[in-house]
Amino acid sequence: MKLFLDMLRCGVRPNDVTFTSVVRACAELGAFELGMSVLSLILKVGFELNVSVSNSFITFSLRLGKIDLARTIFHRMEVRDVVSWTAILDMYVEMGDLTEARRVFDEMPVRNVVSWSAMIARYSQSGYTEEAVKLFYRMIQDGFSPNTSCLASVISAMACLEALDAGMNIHARLVKTGVEGDVFVSSSLIDLYCTCKNTKYGRIVFDSTLGKNIVCWNSMISGYSFNGQLEVARELFDQVPKKNIASWNSMVSGYVDHEQFDKVFEVFDEMLLSRERPDKSTFSSLLCAAANIASLEKGKNLHGKIAKLGFQYDVFVGTALTDMYAKSGDIEGSKQIFHRMPKKNEITWTAMIQGLAENGFAKESLNLFEEMERSSSIVPNELMLLAVLFSCSHCGLVDKGLQYFNSMEKVYRIKPNERHYTCVVDALSRSGRLSEAEMFISNMPIQPDANAWAALLSGCKTYMNEKIAERTAKRILELAEKKSGGYVLLSNVYASAGRWSDVMNTRKLMKEKGVKKSGGCSWVEVRNHVHPFYSQHGTCSKSVELYGMLDLLNAETASPLNLYIV
């Protein structure tokens, strides 16, 4: 800029190259007022119609967030080249306006690799993965060679679609052209293979990538975690040269997803000792773990750390806190978090409505749902309506529940699933409308699950209707005959109805057919440490001592204690 000013003082007339360079310099410096002064000079000497100068000014305007000015310059241009079109396309892409971006893209008389890549990347990032892949193949057909950025985007899109064959075809093409060694392309390939449950090929890509960056390491760790190979994920995690927050979050979320909640907090403690600062994603996963083991003490401890770091007003962390308190039985704590949140989304409302319903506050849950419909623009989702139907069932508001159920498709545009149908059966059965419940099941457009039959059978037990009970048991038995795993469900149904002789007969059939029921798991928190216990499985390191103590207690009492670890 100093040289430009000296040039003007010497009376040398600037040309298009000069103005293009100066405007770029203003953009880099963020000097808006100086740039506008240069624009005045451009208009004065008659370079406003020069394509190169106009393009640089569009870029200048966009860099400084002056979108309207960029639009005005673009529309006033009598001649536009591919750079002009790509700049304005980038503007709409950055704004997230895909409709307008696609309109500009389709109107472009000439496209370059940058414009193709911009559209493909944005489609992929915004979840329009099929459109991203379609556009990529059009790009190839038009004779363009994709750059590494474009390849990484389309491979990520294929990973979301689990299009393994198509991804492998691109991989083969990359090997031929020698591009597969790029770290960003490699990371996308690792994601593709691991998402498609092929960690073996993902590891081959990982091992063959020279100069791995942290993105590659994290992709491979996430891939192993996603596929339940947590021991291998942990081994690789321990080898990472320099971990970042994404590395830690990959391990934390992996343990949460596979319900190894004791490991979740072990990793978190290591994370704190390493002085890595947890982020919102970390706390969301940790709160999910605390909610699943119903550990209010751990949840409160996390809440304190969240408040200290200033995350408590984040909508995702606030939602996780609301859910944690509700699932830990502290409904008042859940309500306090919910009402203090400055911003709520549909998941937040769902967590609170569902929390109230599951903690026995059915009427309050319905009132909150009605308040949401009155006071916000939130559209109910499947889980929220399931909580509403659950509340109606437990409040005895059968007709109101039926009204909500019948409104699902007509008003809310949501197709009911098995759980919604089961809630209606439960509501009818609880109120003694057994014939209506039986008819409702018979007319279901989808296969009823065992819980629907269990609800009806439970109602038959309450209202002593043997005829419907026998028909229901027969239907459940038919369901079990078609699918061996159905015997597990049949046993659960009989148990819920208190028909223990039928439970024993079903268990006998299960044994004959070699059907096994997965073991139950419970957690006990002692001195801030979570101990998992699995039924019929001595996985606890002190299980021998624990069972020995139980035997001792049983032996020293007059009548044996009914103590079981499940």
Side-chain angles (χ1 to χ4, degrees):
M1 288 304 301
K2 185 181 177 183
L3 197 61
F4 174 66
L5 295 174
D6 288 342
M7 175 183 174
L8 294 178
R9 278 193 290 268
C10 292
V12 179
R13 182 184 174 89
N15 60 16
D16 57 334
V17 176
T18 313
F19 283 124
T20 300
S21 302
V22 168
V23 173
R24 284 177 183 168
C26 290
E28 292 295 328
L29 293 170
F32 178 68
E33 290 183 4
L34 183 58
M36 294 307 291
S37 298
V38 173
L39 176 61
S40 299
L41 183 59
I42 289 169
L43 294 171
K44 186 176 180 180
V45 296
F47 277 96
E48 73 273 12
L49 297 180
N50 181 275
V51 175
S52 179
V53 174
S54 295
N55 287 344
S56 64
F57 222 93
I58 290 173
T59 304
F60 164 80
S61 304
L62 294 175
R63 281 273 186 91
L64 299 181
K66 306 297 180 180
I67 293 169
D68 290 336
L69 179 59
R71 247 196 228 109
T72 301
I73 295 167
F74 177 78
H75 289 303
R76 284 182 178 175
M77 290 175 70
E78 294 180 1
V79 178
R80 305 179 185 113
D81 62 8
V82 68
V83 178
S84 319
W85 284 96
T86 303
I88 211 71
L89 172 67
D90 280 340
M91 178 189 80
Y92 287 116
V93 164
E94 289 302 316
M95 289 169 61
D97 189 346
L98 284 181
T99 303
E100 196 62 22
R102 185 56 187 265
R103 184 190 65 76
V104 171
F105 180 81
D106 290 337
E107 287 181 5
M108 291 176 71
V110 180
R111 303 183 185 97
N112 60 12
V113 175
V114 176
S115 49
W116 282 100
S117 298
M119 279 308 305
I120 291 168
R122 184 55 71 177
Y123 273 132
S124 179
Q125 293 161 7
S126 303
Y128 297 97
T129 48
E130 289 185 16
E131 196 61 38
V133 173
K134 286 179 185 175
L135 210 57
F136 174 77
Y137 284 124
R138 268 187 59 193
M139 175 185 180
I140 299 298
Q141 287 169 2
D142 284 3
F144 288 92
S145 296
N147 56 24
T148 53
S149 171
C150 181
L151 287 165
S153 295
V154 77
I155 292 169
S156 295
M158 288 175 176
C160 292
L161 295 170
E162 296 186 26
L164 182 59
D165 291 340
M168 290 181 78
N169 286 336
I170 291 180
H171 190 183
R173 178 191 179 107
L174 296 179
V175 171
K176 288 180 181 179
T177 56
V179 185
E180 85 281 3
D182 179 85
V183 288
F184 296 105
V185 173
S186 294
S187 297
S188 296
L189 283 169
I190 292 167
D191 286 336
L192 168 73
Y193 285 121
C194 293
T195 302
C196 296
K197 299 178 173 53
N198 196 324
T199 52
K200 181 182 176 182
Y201 280 10
R203 186 57 185 263
I204 290 170
V205 173
F206 175 80
D207 289 336
S208 63
T209 304
L210 301 176
K212 300 177 189 67
N213 62 6
I214 189 62
V215 179
C216 283
W217 284 92
N218 292 343
S219 295
M220 197 66 244
I221 293 166
S222 296
Y224 280 132
S225 298
F226 175 77
N227 285 279
Q229 297 171 263
L230 293 169
E231 290 183 8
V232 188
R234 182 61 205 241
E235 287 175 12
L236 194 65
F237 174 80
D238 290 336
Q239 296 171 30
V240 177
K242 189 175 180 181
K243 302 176 183 70
N244 64 6
I245 185 62
S247 314
W248 291 97
N249 284 346
S250 294
M251 285 309 307
V252 169
S253 61
Y255 283 128
V256 170
D257 291 342
H258 293 88
E259 300 184 357
Q260 294 190 25
F261 302 119
D262 54 326
K263 298 286 186 184
V264 172
F265 296 103
E266 285 180 17
V267 173
F268 180 59
D269 289 340
E270 289 176 34
M271 180 181 180
L272 295 179
L273 288 171
S274 74
R275 297 191 176 181
E276 183 69 59
R277 189 176 187 265
D279 64 5
K280 298 169 188 176
S281 177
T282 316
F283 284 116
S284 294
S285 295
L286 290 164
L287 288 167
C288 179
N292 274 278
I293 61 174
S295 175
L296 187 57
E297 183 181 347
K298 284 195 178 296
K300 285 184 173 180
N301 185 272
L302 291 169
H303 190 180
K305 289 181 171 63
I306 288 165
K308 188 176 179 180
L309 292 170
F311 293 149
Q312 70 269 33
Y313 298 115
D314 177 77
V315 66
F316 298 105
V317 175
T319 300
L321 280 167
T322 301
D323 186 57
M324 181 278 296
Y325 277 110
K327 286 182 177 171
S328 300
D330 185 355
I331 199 65
E332 287 303 317
S334 182
K335 287 196 287 187
Q336 283 180 19
I337 297 295
F338 176 80
H339 290 302
R340 287 175 185 171
M341 288 177 67
K343 185 179 178 182
K344 304 176 182 73
N345 59 18
E346 65 173 50
I347 303 171
T348 315
W349 284 94
T350 301
M352 192 69 253
I353 291 167
Q354 189 172 356
L356 288 166
E358 291 177 351
N359 280 274
F361 298 91
K363 286 186 179 177
E364 197 172 339
S365 173
L366 290 173
N367 290 338
L368 187 64
F369 176 74
E370 290 169 0
E371 179 191 330
M372 183 202 77
E373 290 202 295
R374 286 194 308 270
S375 63
S376 76
S377 58
I378 300 292
V379 178
N381 57 28
E382 286 185 7
L383 277 176
M384 193 184 295
L385 288 168
L386 184 65
V388 167
L389 293 174
F390 179 89
S391 297
C392 290
S393 174
H394 285 255
C395 281
L397 301 172
V398 184
D399 291 329
K400 191 168 188 176
L402 287 170
Q403 183 181 343
Y404 278 124
F405 178 81
N406 293 327
S407 299
M408 284 185 67
E409 287 194 83
K410 294 177 183 176
V411 177
Y412 303 116
R413 301 287 188 271
I414 296 172
K415 191 173 183 178
N417 60 30
E418 293 92 338
R419 296 170 72 190
H420 296 107
Y421 282 100
T422 298
C423 264
V424 175
V425 174
D426 184 57
L428 292 168
S429 301
R430 281 173 179 270
S431 64
R433 293 159 66 168
L434 302 176
S435 298
E436 197 174 340
E438 186 180 29
M439 182 66 70
F440 183 84
I441 292 178
S442 300
N443 292 330
M444 281 173 58
I446 55 177
Q447 181 72 37
D449 65 9
N451 291 324
W453 294 113
L456 179 55
L457 201 59
S458 179
C460 291
K461 179 187 174 185
T462 303
Y463 293 97
M464 294 180 288
N465 190 319
E466 288 296 325
K467 287 184 178 180
I468 295 179
E470 288 302 320
R471 288 199 296 270
T472 302
K474 185 179 178 183
R475 293 293 298 274
I476 296 170
L477 188 58
E478 289 171 0
L479 181 66
E481 288 290 347
K482 292 177 183 176
K483 189 177 180 182
S484 60
Y487 284 105
V488 176
L489 302 176
L490 178 60
S491 173
N492 292 341
V493 169
Y494 281 140
S496 68
R499 297 176 59 161
W500 302 112
S501 60
D502 290 322
V503 171
M504 295 304 294
N505 290 333
T506 307
R507 293 281 174 91
K508 185 179 177 183
L509 284 170
M510 286 169 63
K511 190 174 181 180
E512 290 172 359
K513 291 182 175 288
V515 178
K516 291 184 179 180
K517 183 179 179 180
S518 59
C521 177
S522 298
W523 296 268
V524 175
E525 188 176 354
V526 180
R527 294 176 184 174
N528 206 33
H529 185 75
V530 178
H531 301 270
F533 297 90
Y534 300 88
S535 63
Q536 301 175 349
H537 199 288
T539 53
C540 178
S541 60
K542 296 187 178 182
S543 58
V544 175
E545 294 99 312
L546 287 168
Y547 282 105
M549 182 59 70
L550 286 175
D551 291 338
L552 181 63
L553 288 169
N554 280 329
E556 290 184 354
T557 54
S559 58
L561 292 172
N562 293 320
L563 297 172
Y564 299 90
I565 293 182
V566 294

